[in-house]
Amino acid sequence: MRTILVTGATGALGTHVTDLLRQGQDHVRTLSRHPDPTDPHAHTVDLRNGAGLHRALDGVHTLLHLASTPTGGDLQAATHLIGAARTARVHHLIYISIVGVDRIPLGYYKTKHTVEQALQASDLGVTILRTTQFHTLIEGLCQRMARLPAMPYPDVDAQPIDPAEVALRLARLAQEEPAGRVHDLGGPHIEPFADLAHTYLQAHRMHKHRWPLRAPGRIFAAYRRGAHLAPDHPVGRTTFAQYLHNTTRP
Ligand SMILES: NC(=O)c1ccc[n+]([C@@H]2O[C@H](COP(=O)([O-])OP(=O)(O)OC[C@H]3O[C@@H](n4cnc5c(N)ncnc54)[C@H](OP(=O)(O)O)[C@@H]3O)[C@@H](O)[C@H]2O)c1
C-alpha cells in the first residue's frame, strides 16, 4: 500500500480526486489550510509558509499538488513543497496546471507557468497536466454576472470540463510513473461564452438581457485568439448543460 498526499483536497477538483483515490488500495492523506474536520487523515498546512509540511509528507510515495491561491503565493508554496518532497524522497509529484499558462499574460497564469518550470527543473519525478476551465469556474462566473440587472459575459469562447473528469485522469496518472508534461485535457465542446451564459440562465429558469463584454489589452486578445483552448484534446464528455442539470436544484 502506497501513501498518497493530495494538496487542495477540499477544493472543487480535490474533493473528487480524494474520493476516487480512497476507492482504491492506497492510503490517502489530505492537506489544506481549513481541512474537513471529519477527515482523520487531514493535515492543516498553509503551503505559503510550509509549517507542518515535513510531517504531512513523511512516507509519501505520490503527491498530487492541486492547492492554489489565485490571490498570490503559489510560487512560494511550490518552493516549500519541492524542498520538502525532496527531503521526503517523494517518488512522483503530479501538478495540475491550465491550458495557456505560457500564452496568456495573466499574473496568475505566469505564476503557474513558473511553477511548472520549477518542477521540471527539480530532480523530482514529475507529471504536469494542463486542462481547460472547469464547469465550476464557469458556473461561478455566471452566478456573479447574473446578479446584475443585465448579464454581461466575456465575448470569448470556452471549452469547460467537468472537474470529476479531470479527477479521473489525475487518479490514473497517480497509478503511473512520472511522465513529464502529458497531453492537455479539454472539455467536450468549444462554445461561445454567450451560449454558456444562456445555458446557465435556462438551468436556473432566469430571464435576463445579456450583453457581450470586451476589454482592451493583451490578456483579452489572447483569450479571443483561443489561447486557453485545447481544440486537439476535446476529451471530456460532460457538457456544461449536463453538469448544471446534474448539480442544480430546480
Ligand atoms: N478552476 C479551474 O477552472 C481550473 C482549470 C485548470 C486548472 N485548475 C487548477 O486546479 C487546481 C484546483 O482548482 P480548484 O478550482 O479545485 O480550486 P479551489 O476549489 O479554489 O480549491 C483550492 C484548494 O486549495 C487549498 N488551498 C488554497 N491555498 C492554499 C494554501 N496556501 N495552502 C494549502 N492549501 C491551500 C484550498 O483549501 P483551503 O482554502 O482550506 O486552504 C482548496 O482545498 C488549481 O491548481 C487550479 O489552478 C483550475
Side-chain angles (χ1 to χ4, degrees):
M1 188 173 71
R2 304 169 318 164
T3 299
I4 300 182
L5 177 69
V6 182
T7 78
T10 53
L13 176 62
T15 46
H16 289 291
V17 171
T18 306
D19 285 352
L20 271 176
L21 291 173
R22 284 191 168 150
Q23 289 166 25
Q25 302 299 314
D26 297 313
H27 171 64
V28 182
R29 283 182 205 160
T30 61
L31 180 157
S32 59
R33 292 167 302 182
H34 316 97
D36 175 356
T38 65
D39 181 351
H41 305 294
H43 288 250
T44 307
V45 175
D46 185 337
L47 289 168
R48 293 170 301 179
N49 65 45
L53 192 49
H54 286 285
R55 204 165 78 85
L57 277 170
D58 188 30
V60 166
H61 178 276
T62 299
L63 166 60
L64 287 102
H65 181 34
L66 318 178
S68 177
T69 326
T71 48
D74 276 3
L75 185 55
Q76 222 175 353
T79 306
H80 288 137
L81 203 63
I82 291 169
R86 292 180 76 228
T87 306
R89 296 181 178 277
V90 168
H91 177 70
H92 190 182
L93 192 158
I94 302 173
Y95 180 57
I96 181 77
S97 189
I98 308 172
V99 171
V101 287
D102 51 348
R103 294 184 295 202
I104 300 178
L106 199 64
Y108 179 56
Y109 280 25
K110 284 184 185 171
T111 303
K112 287 205 71 103
H113 189 217
T114 308
V115 170
E116 285 186 2
Q117 290 171 319
L119 288 168
Q120 281 167 325
S122 76
D123 53 4
L124 292 164
V126 168
T127 299
I128 295 171
L129 173 67
R130 292 184 183 176
T131 80
T132 53
Q133 279 63 47
F134 300 164
H135 289 326
T136 41
L137 181 84
I138 305 295
E139 182 184 24
L141 283 173
C142 288
Q143 207 169 37
R144 287 196 290 281
M145 295 183 304
R147 285 193 198 120
L148 297 169
M151 182 184 186
Y153 63 84
D155 194 13
V156 299
D157 289 340
Q159 189 182 357
I161 186 164
D162 192 332
E165 292 175 333
V166 177
L168 262 176
R169 175 79 173 272
L170 288 168
R172 283 196 200 110
L173 289 171
Q175 305 306 321
E176 296 170 10
E177 286 297 303
R181 175 138 170 244
V182 294
H183 287 310
D184 294 348
L185 190 59
H189 303 300
I190 296 175
E191 293 179 75
F193 212 110
D195 293 357
L196 297 169
H198 178 67
T199 301
Y200 176 87
L201 291 176
Q202 269 192 327
H204 289 271
R205 297 183 186 163
M206 294 167 82
H207 299 278
K208 259 183 200 268
H209 179 68
R210 285 167 286 130
W211 58 278
L213 195 64
R214 295 193 186 105
R218 291 185 304 137
I219 294 174
F220 192 76
Y223 278 107
R224 287 281 291 177
R225 279 199 305 276
H228 59 304
L229 305 175
D232 299 334
H233 301 284
V235 181
R237 287 171 180 268
T238 308
T239 64
F240 186 54
Q242 287 164 340
Y243 163 81
L244 289 179
H245 177 78
N246 295 340
T247 56
T248 308
R249 280 166 211 267

